[in-house]
Amino acid sequence: MGLTAGIVGLPNVGKSTLFNAITKSGALAANYPFATIDPNVGVVEVPDERLNVLTNMVQPKKTIPTIFEFTDIAGIVRGASKGEGLGNQFLSHIREVDAIVQVVRAFDDENVTHVDGKVSPLRDIETINLELIFADLEVVEKRLPKIEKKAQLKVDKDAVVEYSLLKQIYEVLMNNVPIRTIPFNENERKLIKHFNFLTQKPMLYVANIIEDEIADYSGNEYVKEIKEQAEKDGSEIVVISAKIEAELSELDDEEKAMFLADLGVEESGLDQLIHISYRLLGLETFFTAGPQEVRAWTFKKGMKAPACAGVIHTDFEKGFIRAETIAFDDFVKCNGEQGAKEQGKMRLEGKEYIVKDGDIMHFRFNV
């Protein structure tokens, strides 16, 4: 699907350390602003236990997980929307991603400098969110005068609707509130899609805490503040220790499981981050399973069978005939494809079928 989450934050909050842990790619992590100037892009596997279950059942020659892309974007500073600290370049990188992962420092450490001299999650969040709001305001302010006459004369219906929408957006932004809080309908979303507003993108806050608190961060006041802010502006939050995630990234699966058990944690912060980012973008997974390969595929929730066939290959969508479909639970209960067929659990779905998360599919097509 090619969807991307961009990792942003003030300098020295743990962005590049987190990115290194996600991708094991060794992106530059240094204790000074602008250590990262060009965005680094990393591809990560989406953890899915169902893929392991299918692999054990089918015993294919190979197993291929679905993937998700993260972009590490350089630290933003106050005034970025006016070009401060290479801000215009950074904002353009954010404009290219589908969701924003904002890393927020939730720990005190005198050895790690803070760009504003003191740790304050709400101030840090406000700094970044205001820069995104200012950038969106600039777009709206440039567009409104161009369509104002058309809208007032009511000679162009689309211009009337667009003008009304932009005025609504302007009022919200002027109150320092992100666009994502506005409940647009589908037609309205399509009408403003080409503006690619920054504050309309889904936002996930990553509260970066110290290692000692990973099993119990209930006493961390910084985390409480970030949670309250997330609820306020229609965002989500995940709590991690970037330092621990960096250590985990060096271990194999067995060692990682033991390390997490020792910490008293069931799932790594990175796995949580990937899963929540996946959900934020409305993504789901279907599978193909056969002796050659078992594979997970990403699709947008609500997509119909032909479009999902097109995720595999455009010819599959063009020549779509039908989709032989088995729900994951039925596949497991019936001990595989043959058992599902014998028990009537394999369905033949047509062009209007809306694919469900976990469906195991075999597409019939003719080009």
Side-chain angles (χ1 to χ4, degrees), residues 86-104:
L86 303 179
N88 290 334
Q89 184 183 343
F90 301 159
L91 290 170
S92 71
H93 292 148
I94 297 171
R95 209 172 289 284
E96 292 169 6
V97 302
D98 301 286
I100 301 172
V101 173
Q102 184 176 162
V103 182
V104 186

Side-chain angles (χ1 to χ4, degrees), residues 54-350:
L54 292 176
T55 297
N56 290 332
M57 291 180 68
V58 178
Q59 296 292 308
K61 290 182 180 177
K62 58 182 177 179
T63 299
I64 305 175
T66 190
I67 57 174
F68 192 82
E69 197 172 277
F70 283 96
T71 299
D72 180 29
I73 298 170
I76 297 175
V77 294
R78 191 173 290 106
S81 60
K82 302 300 179 187
E84 292 293 328
L86 303 179
N88 290 334
Q89 184 183 343
F90 301 159
L91 290 170
S92 71
H93 292 148
I94 297 171
R95 209 172 289 284
E96 292 169 6
V97 302
D98 301 286
I100 301 172
V101 173
Q102 184 176 162
V103 182
V104 186
R105 182 166 161 180
F107 65 89
D108 293 306
D109 186 341
E110 61 185 21
N111 295 315
V112 181
T113 60
H114 190 285
V115 71
D116 285 326
K118 182 183 177 184
V119 177
S120 172
L122 292 185
R123 184 200 56 222
D124 293 356
I125 288 171
E126 182 182 49
T127 296
I128 289 181
N129 287 356
L130 281 177
E131 295 307 322
L132 302 182
I133 283 170
F134 292 154
D136 282 348
L137 267 172
E138 187 178 353
V139 172
V140 175
E141 288 169 346
K142 282 182 179 178
R143 179 62 178 165
L144 278 173
K146 293 179 180 178
I147 61 168
E148 187 172 11
K149 281 190 178 179
K150 273 187 184 179
Q152 288 174 344
L153 294 172
K154 298 184 179 178
V155 292
D156 184 331
K157 287 183 180 179
D158 283 347
V160 173
V161 177
E162 182 185 338
Y163 186 77
S164 174
L165 277 174
L166 290 179
K167 288 292 284 183
Q168 181 186 5
I169 288 169
Y170 180 80
E171 294 301 325
V172 167
L173 291 172
M174 286 299 288
N175 286 314
N176 295 337
V177 177
I179 296 170
R180 78 181 73 88
T181 59
I182 304 174
F184 297 116
N185 62 39
E186 195 58 36
N187 288 332
E188 290 170 339
R189 285 184 186 280
K190 286 179 182 175
L191 201 59
I192 63 170
K193 185 178 180 182
H194 67 283
F195 290 113
N196 206 9
F197 287 121
L198 299 178
T199 66
Q200 192 180 3
K201 297 177 187 292
M203 173 79 78
L204 170 62
Y205 293 115
V206 174
N208 185 17
I209 62 174
I210 60 173
E211 310 94 282
D212 295 347
E213 293 180 340
I214 197 64
D216 181 12
Y217 49 81
S218 58
N220 187 316
E221 293 300 321
Y222 293 147
V223 171
K224 291 176 185 175
E225 290 179 3
I226 299 167
K227 281 185 175 179
E228 288 173 6
Q229 182 63 38
E231 290 173 8
K232 183 179 173 182
D233 66 20
S235 303
E236 294 205 38
I237 178 176
V238 61
V239 181
I240 71 166
S241 164
K243 195 170 180 182
I244 283 181
E245 300 304 328
E247 292 174 19
L248 284 168
S249 71
E250 302 297 326
L251 307 176
D252 61 33
D253 289 345
E254 190 174 334
E255 291 171 328
K256 190 182 293 185
M258 289 174 63
F259 189 10
L260 288 172
D262 288 344
L263 291 171
V265 178
E266 290 183 10
E267 184 181 33
S268 76
L270 292 185
D271 285 355
Q272 292 178 55
L273 173 59
I274 295 165
H275 285 143
I276 294 175
S277 299
Y278 204 69
R279 190 179 75 237
L280 262 182
L281 287 170
L283 302 179
E284 294 184 330
T285 305
F286 73 85
F287 302 95
T288 51
Q292 293 302 313
E293 74 172 29
V294 165
R295 184 163 182 166
W297 302 86
T298 298
F299 70 100
K300 269 270 194 184
K301 187 175 182 179
M303 280 174 61
K304 293 180 179 178
C308 284
V311 171
I312 299 176
H313 198 286
T314 53
D315 284 350
F316 285 25
E317 183 172 7
K318 288 176 187 173
F320 179 89
I321 299 171
R322 65 178 180 273
E324 296 171 358
T325 308
I326 306 169
F328 175 79
D329 289 344
D330 290 336
F331 192 94
V332 174
K333 287 175 187 174
C334 299
N335 201 30
E337 182 179 322
Q338 189 57 41
K341 284 181 180 177
E342 291 169 358
Q343 296 184 45
K345 295 297 184 181
M346 175 184 280
R347 312 183 309 275
L348 298 181
E349 301 290 359

